[in-house]
Amino acid sequence: EVRPTRASVTIDELIGQSQARHPLDYFSKKKNNGKVYTELLGQALALAVAEQYPARLTVAFSNSLPRVFTHWPGGKQAENSLRLRSNARGAERYLAKQYEPVLAAECAALIQARERFGFTGIDIQLPYCRSSVELEEMIAVLGKHGLTREKGWRFSLATDLPGHAILTSALAKHLDELVFNIDSLVKSTTGTRSTTITPTHQKTVEHALSAIAKAARKERTRVALS
């Protein structure tokens, strides 16, 4: 029998499974039902953990674009009030002051799953970060709401920005795992539009991967490729 050692689920999927509305809809002045949002996510998360047991479950914060959020119940009004850029995603959304109650509720759901239900095999994939500075800000906000590596939480970050290869050390020191998109890496290291690794370009890509691995190892961070 073959069993996966790790599985993953996104906050967006948990919202869909729990039939929740747009996250901000729970925090309007008229409703202020943040506890309801936390409970809905917590129940969906507990079910996801149980379904994947004994594999560890990575829960990924939302990376959806604003146009995706508008399709959820209450989404159009919520997104209009949030006023994000049309291509804003990930940390840019979570670091918006108006969205902080949503992040707090999602952190509470994660903590609830671990402390109330005893699901310790949960890891966290951080939302998309455009820079190491944005990553540091995201780590600080998560810490404010009780999610820190010191408390045993594991953090990973997936990136498709070629320039992040240069910033491996700056990113890795905050993470347990850094996931690079191999297609983006090949394009940036070979200077071509092709994602195919030819014999001519193989050494160049190998050197880039070697440099990334060495930088990450100094910070005791895993490197993965997608």
Side-chain angles (χ1 to χ4, degrees), residues 28 37 69 71 76 92 101 108 111 124 150 158 191 202 212 221:
S28 64
Y37 181 61
F69 280 86
H71 294 298
K76 287 186 178 180
E92 191 170 353
I111 292 171
I124 297 170
E150 288 74 20
Q202 184 171 339
I212 288 171
T221 301

Side-chain angles (χ1 to χ4, degrees), residues 14-222:
L14 294 177
I15 291 173
Q17 292 167 12
S18 61
Q19 298 183 335
R21 299 174 62 81
H22 187 289
L24 276 180
D25 193 57
Y26 292 88
F27 297 91
S28 64
K29 292 181 180 179
K30 294 181 180 179
K31 298 179 181 178
N32 196 21
N33 290 328
K35 289 184 178 179
V36 174
Y37 181 61
T38 300
E39 285 297 324
L40 287 172
L41 278 186
Q43 291 169 13
L45 176 57
L47 182 60
V49 173
E51 287 178 342
Q52 299 298 336
Y53 183 83
R56 294 190 68 87
L57 182 71
T58 298
V59 179
F61 282 106
S62 178
N63 282 318
S64 294
L65 296 170
R67 65 173 177 269
V68 175
F69 280 86
T70 58
H71 294 298
W72 293 347
K76 287 186 178 180
Q77 183 177 350
E79 287 301 301
N80 288 338
S81 66
L82 196 55
R83 295 180 180 179
L84 291 174
R85 298 181 305 113
S86 60
N87 60 342
R89 61 186 176 117
E92 191 170 353
R93 169 178 293 274
Y94 280 106
L95 291 174
K97 186 175 181 180
Q98 190 178 347
Y99 213 75
E100 187 170 352
V102 176
L103 177 61
E106 292 176 359
C107 289
L110 286 161
I111 292 171
Q112 173 183 282
R114 188 165 80 166
E115 296 184 356
R116 187 196 296 183
F117 299 116
F119 295 132
T120 56
I122 300 176
D123 299 326
I124 297 170
Q125 183 170 303
L126 301 177
Y128 184 83
C129 295
R130 295 173 297 170
S131 66
S132 57
V133 173
E134 201 167 63
L135 173 61
E136 290 173 2
E137 291 176 357
M138 195 69 215
I139 291 291
V141 174
L142 288 175
K144 177 181 175 182
H145 297 299
L147 298 186
T148 65
R149 296 171 78 188
E150 288 74 20
K151 292 182 179 180
W153 292 98
R154 298 183 188 177
F155 294 153
S156 66
L157 176 71
T159 177
D160 58 5
L161 285 180
H164 279 183
I166 303 172
L167 300 172
T168 299
S169 294
L171 298 172
K173 65 182 180 181
H174 301 290
L175 304 166
D176 297 283
E177 184 172 68
L178 185 56
V179 186
F180 282 99
N181 179 280
I182 188 66
D183 288 345
S184 298
L185 200 60
V186 170
K187 288 180 181 179
S188 63
T189 54
T190 62
T192 65
R193 293 184 179 181
S194 173
T195 58
T196 302
I197 304 177
T198 65
T200 305
H201 293 144
Q202 184 171 339
K203 282 293 181 184
T204 303
V205 177
E206 285 177 3
H207 287 314
L209 290 174
S210 178
I212 288 171
K214 287 178 181 178
R217 178 182 286 179
K218 289 181 180 179
E219 303 297 338
R220 298 183 179 179
T221 301
R222 284 171 50 93

